[in-house]
Amino acid sequence: DIITKGKPTQSKLDKSCKVGVDFSSPNVAKEMHVGHLRSTIIGDCICRILAYRGHEVKRINHLGDWGTQFGMLLTYLKDTNTNVDEENTAIKELNAIYKAAKKKFDEDEDFKTRSRQEVVKLQSGEEGARKMWKKLIAVSEKAFNKVYSKLDIDFPDGYCGESFYQSRIPATVEDLTKLGLVEDYEGAKIIKTSLSKAPLFVQKSDGGYGYDSTDMTSIRYRTQELNLNWLVYVCDLGQSLHFNSCFEVAKKAKYLNNVRHEFVGFGLVLGADGKRFRSRSGETVPLSQLLDEAKNRIEKELEERVAKGETPLKKEDISDAAGVIGYAAVKYADLKSSKEKDYIFDYDRMLQPTGDTGVYILYTYARLCSLESKVEQYTGRKVSDILESKKNKLVIDRSRPREWEMVSLLLRYADTIEKTSDTLSPHILCSYVYELCVGVSKFLPVHRILVSVEGQETKSLNPDHGEDWVCLLHAVRLTLKELAPLLGMGLLERI
C-alpha cells in the first residue's frame, strides 16, 4: 500500500476539531532563552501532528507584551534618553536595558513610582508611551522570527499577546460576576477554586489586571469568538495549577461546554550537573546561541569529512546541511523523552551519529537514499521500474526474521500516529521512528541487496530476493520521509 500510494496511510479521523495550541510565548524586550526551548519545540510538534491527522489547527503565540515591566522599561528609556528602532536596535540591547531597568526598579522608589505612572499612560493610550511600546514589540518580534526561522516554525496568524485581551477583560469580569463566581476581597475581585487556597484575581485592588484576568479572557475569546472546540496549553509543569484553576472556573462559566481542554506540561532542561541548564558563567543561555552551537559542531565535523573525502557533500553544502542536522538533533533530543520528565541537554550525546539521536535518524534516511542510488548505478534499472515490476507480487518471507520485523513495524504506522495525536505525546512517534531505523541497521548486514558478480568488479541485484528487499526498504524510506516533518526535522539525501 505504501509503495502503491507513494506514502503510508493513516486511519480515518472520526471528527475534525478546531484546535487552538498555545505555545512558545516569549516576553517582549527579552531574548528567547533555553526556558522557551521545550514549549516551542513540543508545541510545534503537536501542531504538526494534529494538522496531519486532519484537525484545523490555530497556532497561538501568547506574547508577554503588557504589564508593569513596560512602565519600567519606558521610564528607563526616557531617563537615559535611549532611542529604539527596529532596524538598528538588537534584542541583546533590549535585554541589557531590561536588566538595568529591573535593578533600578527594585532599588529606587522614585523610579518605581514613575514606572507605575508610565504604565497608566500606556494603558490609557498616551501617544508617546504607545509609540515606544510598539517599537519594543517590533524589535522583539524581529528577533523571535529569526529563532523561529531556524526551527522552521511559523505562526500564520501572527502573534496574539497579552495586550490583545486588555479591551476584552472588563466584559469577562462582568460576565463572571453576573454568574455569581466573583467575590470581593480587600478591594480586589477574586474567584475561589477547589484546587488551591490561593484564588484567581480577576481584578486587582488598584483596578488593574494580571495573568489570571488575561488567561480567563483568552479562554472566553477562543471558545466564544473563535469557536475553537479543543484548547491545548503547552507550558512548564509549574503552571499546571494555574491553568487547571482557570479551566475549573471556565467550566463553571460554561465557556468550556463541549470543548476539549488540556494542559500539556513538560519538565525542565537540565545541564550535566543535574541543575537547570545555564552557561558557564551561570547565565540563562539564549536560544539562538544554543541552536547555533549545535550547528557549529556539526559544521566542523562535516568540514573534516569533506577534506578527507568521506562524504558526497561539497564544501558549499556544509552550512545548510549542518543546520538541518544540528537543529534536528536538538529537536529530537527534546521530543524523544516523555514530556513530563526533566532531561539533560548534552551536545556530545545528542550529536552522536549512533544511538537514539536525531543524527542517527538522518543518517539512516541518507543511507537508504544512497542504497537506492547504488541499485540504479549497478543495475541500470530505476527503482521506480523495480517497484512497478513487483506491484502485487511482493514476497515477504516470515522465516527471515529481519524481513518480517520490518514489515511488522510498517504495519504499526497508523496506530502510532493515532496514539501520538490522541495523547499529545511526541515521544511515542520518536520511539517508532527510532525502531524503524534500528530495523534498517539490523536488516542490511543480514540481507545483501547488491552482491558481487564473480570475476567482475561490478555488483548486481541479489537474484533471490533483491527486488523484494528494494521494495521493502523503499517503503521504509517513504515512511521516514512522511514522519520526519511531523517532528519538525528536515532530511538530507546525502550526508
Side-chain angles (χ1 to χ4, degrees), residues 8 143 193 327 330 374 469:
T193 73
Y327 303 151
V330 172
K374 286 178 181 177
W469 295 340

Side-chain angles (χ1 to χ4, degrees), residues 452-467:
S452 299
V453 178
E454 191 173 347
Q456 298 181 33
E457 293 184 3
T458 188
K459 293 182 179 181
S460 67
L461 212 54
N462 188 310
D464 295 325
H465 307 286
E467 290 186 345

Side-chain angles (χ1 to χ4, degrees), residues 66 117-127 130:
W66 200 251
Q117 291 169 349
E118 197 67 29
V119 171
V120 174
K121 291 180 184 177
L122 177 62
Q123 292 177 341
S124 64
E126 195 267 330
E127 187 179 352
R130 282 286 173 130

Side-chain angles (χ1 to χ4, degrees), residues 12 74 97 119 215 231 263 270 339 349-350 458 479 487:
K12 187 176 180 182
L74 296 176
I97 290 169
V119 171
D215 287 329
L231 299 182
F263 172 77
L270 306 177
K339 57 187 179 293
R349 188 184 302 172
M350 69 175 63
T458 188
T479 301
L487 298 173

Side-chain angles (χ1 to χ4, degrees), residues 145-362:
N145 288 337
K146 287 181 180 178
V147 174
Y148 293 136
S149 177
K150 290 177 182 180
L151 292 170
D152 191 26
I153 292 173
D154 67 340
F155 293 90
D157 298 316
Y159 302 145
C160 189
E162 294 168 2
S163 61
F164 173 81
Y165 299 100
Q166 297 308 302
S167 63
R168 290 173 165 79
I169 291 177
T172 301
V173 175
E174 183 182 352
D175 190 41
L176 294 170
T177 303
K178 285 179 180 178
L179 292 168
L181 300 174
V182 177
E183 298 178 27
D184 289 326
Y185 174 76
E186 297 181 356
K189 292 184 177 182
I190 65 168
I191 300 178
K192 294 178 180 177
T193 73
S194 65
L195 301 177
S196 171
K197 291 182 180 178
L200 293 179
F201 280 76
V202 291
Q203 189 166 10
K204 299 176 185 178
S205 57
D206 62 3
Y209 305 114
Y211 295 124
D212 297 344
S213 320
T214 306
D215 287 329
M216 283 306 306
T217 302
S218 74
I219 292 174
R220 183 170 181 252
Y221 169 74
R222 292 168 188 178
T223 58
Q224 310 302 299
E225 294 189 52
L226 294 182
N227 297 314
L228 302 178
N229 54 13
W230 187 357
L231 299 182
V232 179
Y233 288 80
V234 185
C235 202
D236 71 87
L237 283 168
Q239 298 297 316
S240 174
L241 180 60
H242 166 71
F243 281 107
N244 284 318
S245 296
C246 288
F247 291 156
E248 181 181 301
V249 173
K251 283 185 208 171
K252 290 179 181 177
K254 294 187 167 49
Y255 298 159
L256 293 176
N257 280 4
N258 301 313
V259 176
R260 178 175 171 179
H261 52 282
E262 47 209 304
F263 172 77
V264 176
F266 53 81
L268 301 172
V269 181
L270 306 177
D273 58 0
K275 298 178 181 178
R276 283 179 182 266
F277 186 84
R278 295 185 182 277
S279 66
R280 290 181 181 176
S281 61
E283 294 288 316
T284 301
V285 180
L287 187 48
S288 184
Q289 179 182 316
L290 181 145
L291 295 171
D292 288 344
E293 176 66 16
K295 178 186 175 182
N296 292 341
R297 290 190 182 205
I298 293 291
E299 196 165 337
K300 185 178 179 182
E301 180 187 317
L302 290 178
E303 284 172 351
E304 292 173 357
R305 290 183 60 212
V306 167
K308 294 176 182 177
E310 297 175 350
T311 170
L313 292 175
K314 295 183 174 64
K315 193 173 182 180
E316 57 268 27
D317 301 327
I318 292 176
S319 181
D320 287 344
V324 172
I325 299 169
Y327 303 151
V330 172
K331 288 186 177 186
Y332 186 84
D334 193 299
L335 295 170
K336 73 174 184 177
S337 300
S338 175
K339 57 187 179 293
E340 294 82 9
K341 292 182 179 178
D342 298 343
Y343 84 97
I344 293 175
F345 190 96
D346 184 336
Y347 285 115
D348 291 336
R349 188 184 302 172
M350 69 175 63
L351 296 176
Q352 285 293 321
T354 57
D356 191 8
T357 68
V359 181
Y360 174 63
I361 307 302
L362 266 66

Side-chain angles (χ1 to χ4, degrees), residues 57-72:
V57 178
K58 183 175 179 64
R59 292 164 168 257
I60 302 170
N61 198 338
H62 191 86
L63 291 188
D65 66 354
W66 200 251
T68 306
Q69 70 268 32
F70 287 96
M72 178 183 81

Side-chain angles (χ1 to χ4, degrees), residues 367-423:
R367 187 180 184 186
L368 291 172
C369 291
S370 175
L371 178 62
E372 291 192 2
S373 295
K374 286 178 181 177
V375 166
E376 294 187 344
Q377 175 189 339
Y378 285 117
T379 66
R381 298 172 64 191
K382 290 190 174 183
V383 169
S384 58
D385 292 336
I386 296 174
L387 299 176
E388 184 64 29
S389 70
K390 295 298 292 185
K391 190 179 288 185
N392 302 320
K393 301 177 188 175
L394 186 61
V395 177
I396 302 297
D397 192 336
R398 295 186 69 164
S399 67
R400 293 188 289 271
R402 298 302 180 212
E403 191 173 320
W404 183 245
E405 281 174 18
M406 288 302 322
V407 173
S408 299
L409 280 169
L410 292 172
L411 291 173
R412 283 170 43 199
Y413 180 86
D415 285 344
T416 301
I417 293 292
E418 189 171 347
K419 187 176 180 181
T420 303
S421 172
D422 289 347
T423 61

